[in-house]
Amino acid sequence: MDLVIARPEGLYCPAGDFYIDPWRPVERSVITHAHGDHARTGNQHYLAAAPGEGILRSRLGQDINLQTLAYGEQVVHHGVKLSFHPAGHVLGSAQVRLEYQGEVWVASGDYKVEPDGTCAPFEPVRCHTFITESTFGLPIYRWQPQAQIFAGINDWWQGNIAAGKASVLFCYSFGKAQRILHGIDASIGPILSHGAVEPLNRVYREAGIYIPETLYAGDVQKNDPLLRQALIIAPPSAGGSTWMRRFGDYSDAFASGWMRLRGTRRRRGVDRGFVLSDHADWPGLLWAIEQTGAERVMVTHGSVGVLVRHLREKGLDAQGFTTEYGDDEEEATA
Amino acid sequence: MKAFAELYANLDATTSSNAKLAALQAYFLQAPPEDAAWAVYFLSGGRPRQLVPTRLLRDMATEACGIEPWLFEESYQSVGDLAETISLLLPESTYTSEDGLAVWLEEKLLPLRGLSPQDLAERLPALWAQLDQPSLMVCIKLITGSFRVGVSKLLVTRALAAMAGLDSKRVAQRLVGYTDLSNRPTAEGYLKLIAAESCDEHAQRGGQPYPFFLAHGLSQPAEQFNALLGAPADWQVEWKWDGIRAQLVKREGRLWIWSRGEELVTDRFPELHSLLHGLPDGTVIDGEIVVWKESVQPFALLQQRIGRKTLSKKILDDAPVAVLAYDLLEHQGEDWRNHIQAERRAQLERIIAQCNQPVLRPSPVLTGATWADLAEQREASRELGVEGMMLKDRKGLYGVGRTKDMGLWWKWKVDPFSVDAVLIYAQRGHGRRASLYSDYTFAVWDGPPGSERTLVPFAKAYSGLTDEEMRKVDAIVRKTTVEKFGPVSSVTPSMVFELGFEGIALSKRHKSGIAVRFPRMLRWRQDKSVDDADNLATLQDLLT
């Protein structure tokens, strides 16, 4: 019997009568992480990993009916044992482990396998069936170690300071922004955050994650000479808006896994593309799947067809799950 | 090689012409002349003959990447560029080569041509292993010859001119023919491009043509022409011919024919060789090669013979060409581009009269008292098989490329044909449209509304939409895909577009029986349903 099936409302556990990351309002929801396409408003009950509480509440409302568990802590619901395990994607992100009558399934939500210091690193969990994302499910996606990417960002920033230009770095405001702030060399110059980024910085700091001092960009006057030294962290939606005018002469860059391809880089029309993703690359996906020891793999959002076929050729029982994940700006093709 | 790959990355990373110019100058300043020679060649559009058949290149790359062919294909479809795909899939290497661009080309890449698959399988991976990802991509682009990086020849010209302290017109002149297959880039050739001007330069020009002067589009209504252009009498008006723009160069007892792409095409038009005896030495004529049988014939006929390697007697009989001459660039060995249009035209007519050969005809000058009068004459364009009219400033000089500072040419084209067609297939694009569904196949109905009818494909188009519209179409394609045939997705018909095209002809090769020229999307008709799209009868009416 399948522990998880795809229903119009979301991924459903029939034995436990709850949904994982439902995209339509339901009675009981288990949330892997707080990105908009996985955590939606309108559910009666929410269950999530404890480190994600602050962000979930700040995004879905302080008064949601939310119960949390520490990583590894177990609850039993209708006979289904449920626990959360780190997914390494963003702060509070978790894989959901379900055990029922000796059968173990793991729904991983979104994950990346390289530890980044802003959230608990991905932890492989042995299971019979593994539900995996496939956002970057093609062998063309291979990430460089993040230290190299951060060094590239530092160099670009310093180069801009030398040229008297502001450095505007576009990235997703939850997760990527904080990972960058955590990883770059903050001694280079002042750092400004867009209004969409600044509140999340606060949540990360409250969770004890090192985020260097940031100024709210709205507090800095247009033409302030400080801007020509500054790194400005902003969501992609700020690009091309009137908000950008205050920075005068600037160089812009975009940090995303999609920047691996020239086509997407050029479509973005920014000066630089930094290949930095909070999702697993192709080798990462294959490594994670292998680590679980699962013989059955359900593939969700991304390159479903490709990953399914590849896994089948490797002798695994793989199939696709139709979901509505990946519509968030985090995962949509840049 | 690394310096050139860095230049490529810098050019690729920006859309600003000034930034590109700066990157080019920085490269040329430090590059050894033998490397710079090849850089100029590729950046201004040169393509050596295919070094490795694409099929073999793919197979070898797939093998070297250690993945299944289908996975390679999926990756390619997503990236939209073969060289980039291969460079992203091969195992990461560090850059270890010590050779420059010229050594890479002359000693490593050019010798690959004609090698057996076994030899290639031995050599290619060893070459690849010396390069990092950006250099590898550029290396494979050199092999495949598809080297587009958003740099125009004009920009290369400006960069060289600025670096060498020369007038860019002088550099443009020297660059003509540089990318022709017969020219192999050398350090010596490059140094000549940037050498200080010498007084005997003009005398040593051989068969060199002049850079073509290009026209600007004119799309305003004729009512505004008086305000915009002044009186018609100030303009030399001609038909805009639908043929091959060419320069005839007669010097030192020899004749050269150059196409607009600066390709030497003398051999392709044997019926023009008689002009060798009709034109005096030191004559350069600009005009249009067309198929001529008492009147100009459709471009389709000319197209049939362009691609042929050997020209049979039948082809020469079926599609004989003539030159419709419209400008004189050199007379008695003197550069005449600084004479005004009216003077050049008058002298051109004298030369044509003296030559007195039916293969060289003046492109007739049209007259009209008012713009309205000319607009009325222009209505006959389609019947005459021309694209509209050319308006040339009678006091203007002959400029270089698409410039406006020396003289001014306008092309006043007739509106394209248009029909409302339905998008039925979509394919992902290349370059900056990689992984976006941007190339579409369009269909019309094979019967009138109300009848039992199906959609028949008749044209492919990929231009005319804004980025924003394309993203929307892409999203709809993804949601409404019915079936995939390799890279092509068939979709549930739902989107109607106004499709424009320049010409239409019967065709046995197309299911619809019709072939159209230069199809492109004029508008997305979101106000129309699929049932409102045109049918084949509409297209057939346009044939007459």
Side-chain angles (χ1 to χ4, degrees):
Chain A
M1 190 198 63
D2 285 355
L3 260 187
V4 179
I5 58 174
R7 275 207 183 172
E9 295 85 0
L11 297 180
Y12 179 65
C13 174
D17 188 26
F18 56 78
Y19 287 86
I20 300 170
D21 294 349
W23 45 86
R24 290 192 200 163
V26 300
E27 173 77 19
R28 291 188 173 276
S29 65
V30 176
I31 304 298
T32 62
H33 66 287
H35 275 135
D37 55 333
H38 291 260
R40 300 184 195 235
T41 54
N43 301 322
Q44 299 299 311
H45 297 86
Y46 291 86
L47 179 67
E53 176 166 4
I55 286 171
L56 270 176
R57 287 197 188 277
S58 79
R59 303 202 122 194
L60 301 182
Q62 289 302 324
D63 54 349
I64 55 166
N65 184 0
L66 169 66
Q67 183 193 346
T68 61
L69 297 175
Y71 287 129
E73 188 185 343
Q74 209 169 59
V75 289
V76 182
H77 184 75
H78 294 321
V80 179
K81 280 188 208 162
L82 184 153
S83 54
F84 291 110
H85 304 268
H89 177 59
V90 292
L91 181 60
S93 66
Q95 310 176 70
V96 184
R97 180 184 184 276
L98 305 174
E99 182 177 347
Y100 184 68
Q101 295 177 351
E103 181 80 8
V104 179
W105 285 49
V106 170
S108 55
D110 290 333
Y111 63 93
K112 78 165 174 294
V113 298
E114 187 183 22
D116 70 5
T118 66
C119 58
F122 178 84
E123 217 171 75
V125 181
R126 303 289 292 182
C127 58
H128 299 102
T129 303
F130 185 56
I131 304 175
T132 180
E133 58 140 322
S134 60
T135 308
F136 292 103
L138 277 170
I140 46 176
Y141 295 108
R142 280 190 314 226
W143 311 147
Q144 310 265 317
Q146 59 193 350
Q148 281 181 28
I149 306 298
F150 293 136
I153 295 173
N154 291 338
D155 287 350
W156 166 74
W157 182 12
Q158 276 167 326
N160 293 334
I161 292 176
K165 287 181 183 179
S167 306
V168 180
L169 179 55
F170 297 113
C171 61
Y172 306 120
S173 42
F174 166 32
K176 188 75 61 67
Q178 292 72 33
R179 181 179 173 198
I180 290 170
L181 289 168
H182 183 84
I184 51 164
D185 179 359
S187 69
I188 293 173
I191 303 171
L192 273 56
S193 299
H194 183 269
V197 177
E198 191 60 17
L200 289 152
N201 293 349
R202 231 171 289 139
V203 178
Y204 268 67
R205 286 190 191 106
E206 282 162 13
I209 313 290
Y210 166 72
I211 302 286
E213 189 192 347
T214 51
L215 297 168
Y216 169 49
D219 290 340
V220 180
Q221 292 293 313
K222 193 176 172 180
N223 301 330
D224 187 324
L226 171 137
L227 289 173
R228 290 200 288 276
Q229 310 271 316
L231 174 69
I232 298 119
I233 305 283
S237 54
S241 72
T242 51
W243 186 80
M244 297 297 296
R245 283 191 203 145
R246 68 190 70 203
F247 301 118
D249 194 12
Y250 64 85
S251 171
D252 55 2
F254 191 72
S256 159
W258 302 110
M259 294 297 112
R260 174 90 167 145
L261 302 190
R262 281 167 67 230
T264 42
R265 229 156 44 220
R266 282 150 72 195
R267 258 201 316 274
R268 272 284 163 190
V270 289
D271 296 333
R272 283 292 293 273
F274 294 109
V275 188
L276 185 74
S277 177
D278 289 339
H279 294 264
D281 59 0
W282 175 258
L285 289 168
L286 298 182
W287 176 83
I289 290 165
E290 199 187 345
Q291 291 294 305
T292 64
E295 285 173 2
R296 198 165 167 216
V297 181
M298 315 300 263
V299 181
T300 68
H301 63 301
S303 301
V304 178
V306 171
L307 190 55
V308 165
R309 182 168 173 188
H310 183 73
L311 293 173
R312 283 189 185 163
E313 288 182 357
K314 287 176 57 172
L316 295 178
D317 175 11
Q319 63 192 84
F321 255 167
T322 305
T323 67
E324 292 187 12
Y325 307 139
D327 281 346
D328 193 31
E329 64 173 16
E330 169 75 13
E331 281 148 26
T333 312
Chain B
M1 187 66 145
K2 196 166 174 80
F4 186 62
E6 272 161 20
L7 170 65
Y8 187 95
N10 287 336
L11 294 172
D12 194 46
T14 178
T15 49
S16 143
S17 291
N18 283 336
K20 287 184 183 185
L21 201 56
L24 286 167
Q25 279 176 261
Y27 173 81
F28 287 126
L29 274 173
Q30 57 77 39
E34 65 274 19
D35 290 353
W38 280 101
V40 171
Y41 177 81
F42 281 106
L43 292 169
S44 44
R47 285 177 81 146
R49 284 196 190 88
Q50 191 180 49
L51 298 178
V52 178
T54 310
R55 184 73 252 165
L56 270 180
L57 186 66
R58 265 177 194 242
D59 291 351
M60 256 148 230
T62 309
E63 177 84 29
C65 304
I67 60 174
E68 294 294 316
W70 70 266
L71 198 48
F72 183 90
E73 186 58 29
E74 286 282 353
S75 298
Y76 172 60
Q77 287 306 325
S78 191
V79 177
D81 180 300
L82 184 62
E84 188 183 355
T85 309
I86 296 174
S87 74
L88 292 174
L89 287 174
L90 283 172
E92 201 104 350
S93 308
T94 44
Y95 190 93
T96 54
S97 170
E98 299 194 340
D99 296 321
L101 182 60
V103 172
W104 265 88
L105 276 154
E106 291 164 15
E107 293 173 23
K108 301 182 178 185
L109 301 182
L110 294 179
L112 295 174
R113 185 182 299 134
L115 287 190
S116 68
Q118 290 78 359
D119 287 345
L120 285 172
E122 210 163 285
R123 288 220 205 163
L124 279 174
L127 291 177
W128 292 338
Q130 302 171 37
L131 303 172
D132 58 4
Q133 193 264 329
S135 315
L136 182 55
M137 181 183 76
V138 171
C139 168
I140 298 169
K141 283 188 168 291
L142 297 177
I143 294 175
T144 60
S146 54
F147 198 83
R148 288 201 327 208
V149 67
V151 170
S152 64
K153 190 169 200 169
L154 187 66
L155 208 62
V156 178
T157 310
R158 281 172 56 197
L160 290 174
M163 188 194 63
L166 291 164
D167 182 28
S168 68
K169 288 196 240 7
R170 170 59 61 201
V171 177
Q173 173 65 56
R174 293 175 181 177
L175 259 176
V176 173
Y178 190 83
T179 54
D180 189 68
L181 274 176
S182 63
N183 177 52
R184 174 139 174 183
T186 58
E188 194 196 355
Y190 170 73
L191 291 172
K192 270 192 198 159
L193 289 177
I194 55 167
E197 293 203 44
S198 68
C199 33
D200 60 349
E201 187 167 343
H202 188 63
Q204 289 177 358
R205 67 210 177 287
Q208 285 267 77
Y210 293 90
F212 284 89
F213 185 36
L214 305 178
H216 296 262
L218 188 63
S219 52
Q220 287 86 345
E223 294 81 62
Q224 295 176 16
F225 280 17
N226 271 327
L228 219 58
L229 307 174
D234 295 339
W235 296 83
Q236 177 180 312
V237 183
E238 299 164 34
W239 293 119
K240 184 178 185 321
W241 303 104
D242 188 8
I244 295 176
R245 178 95 183 263
Q247 269 180 57
L248 305 174
V249 177
K250 167 75 199 296
R251 289 185 195 124
E252 303 158 21
R254 288 183 63 187
L255 180 76
W256 291 268
I257 305 173
W258 295 87
S259 75
R260 159 72 216 283
E262 292 173 13
E263 215 184 324
L264 198 52
V265 293
T266 321
D267 298 341
R268 312 258 183 95
F269 302 105
E271 56 269 69
L272 302 179
H273 293 180
S274 60
L275 293 171
L276 180 62
H277 308 292
L279 293 172
D281 264 346
T283 305
V284 178
I285 287 172
D286 182 9
E288 196 97 355
I289 298 177
V290 296
V291 171
W292 186 270
K293 292 181 198 166
E294 279 153 37
S295 66
V296 66
Q297 301 297 304
F299 184 78
L301 265 178
L302 188 56
Q303 205 168 26
Q304 282 170 19
R305 60 176 276 182
I306 297 173
R308 304 289 175 99
K309 280 211 180 96
T310 51
L311 295 165
S312 65
K313 180 161 184 310
K314 183 171 181 328
I315 288 179
L316 292 176
D317 287 346
D318 287 353
V321 298
V323 174
L324 293 167
Y326 40 69
D327 220 317
L328 180 69
L329 313 187
E330 183 173 310
H331 178 48
Q332 293 175 339
E334 298 284 319
D335 184 348
W336 261 55
R337 292 176 300 165
N338 289 327
H339 290 254
I340 62 167
Q341 185 84 47
E343 279 177 36
R344 300 200 308 272
R345 172 77 198 195
Q347 190 59 42
L348 173 72
E349 287 179 11
R350 266 173 243 134
I351 290 173
I352 294 172
Q354 280 159 15
C355 175
N356 193 24
Q357 289 189 23
V359 292
L360 183 67
R361 317 173 151 267
S363 167
V365 169
L366 308 170
T367 50
T370 61
W371 289 115
D373 180 6
L374 285 162
E376 209 179 301
Q377 295 181 46
R378 194 179 69 123
E379 294 300 307
S381 293
R382 291 226 185 278
E383 278 159 55
L384 293 168
V386 298
E387 295 179 325
M389 286 176 172
M390 294 294 300
L391 312 178
K392 300 175 178 176
D393 180 1
R394 289 173 58 84
K395 293 200 185 67
L397 312 180
Y398 189 94
V400 171
R402 198 163 270 118
T403 52
K404 282 184 175 175
D405 54 337
M406 314 272 297
L408 191 50
W409 285 7
W410 293 107
K411 45 184 173 186
W412 185 24
K413 290 169 74 161
V414 287
D415 292 335
F417 292 114
S418 77
V419 292
D420 290 332
V422 183
L423 191 160
I424 58 167
Y425 304 125
Q427 188 169 354
R428 282 179 286 187
H430 297 266
R432 70 187 283 269
R433 300 150 138 214
S435 76
L436 263 189
Y437 282 96
S438 62
D439 301 7
Y440 315 123
T441 301
F442 292 95
V444 288
W445 294 105
D446 62 358
S451 64
E452 182 84 5
R453 57 186 192 165
T454 53
L455 286 164
V456 205
F458 78 103
K460 278 186 176 182
Y462 48 85
S463 64
L465 293 187
T466 62
D467 286 357
E468 175 72 26
E469 286 173 322
M470 200 180 295
R471 262 195 291 278
K472 283 190 193 155
V473 174
D474 174 76
I476 297 175
V477 168
R478 284 169 201 273
K479 286 208 178 86
T480 60
T481 294
V482 180
E483 228 181 321
K484 286 191 179 181
F485 319 93
V488 181
S489 291
S490 72
V491 300
T492 312
S494 70
M495 290 178 275
V496 178
F497 292 83
E498 185 179 333
L499 220 60
F501 46 91
E502 295 303 317
I504 180 163
L506 284 173
S507 160
K508 289 183 194 123
R509 283 170 48 198
H510 296 76
K511 215 192 242 176
S512 59
I514 275 170
V516 296
R517 261 184 92 203
F518 298 137
R520 70 264 187 193
M521 289 164 272
L522 299 178
R523 263 192 309 162
W524 184 0
R525 297 298 303 259
Q526 285 171 285
D527 55 322
K528 290 207 167 187
S529 77
V530 171
D531 276 337
D532 301 329
D534 282 314
N535 59 56
L536 264 184
T538 323
L539 282 170
Q540 280 150 357
D541 287 346
L542 296 175
L543 274 169
T544 48

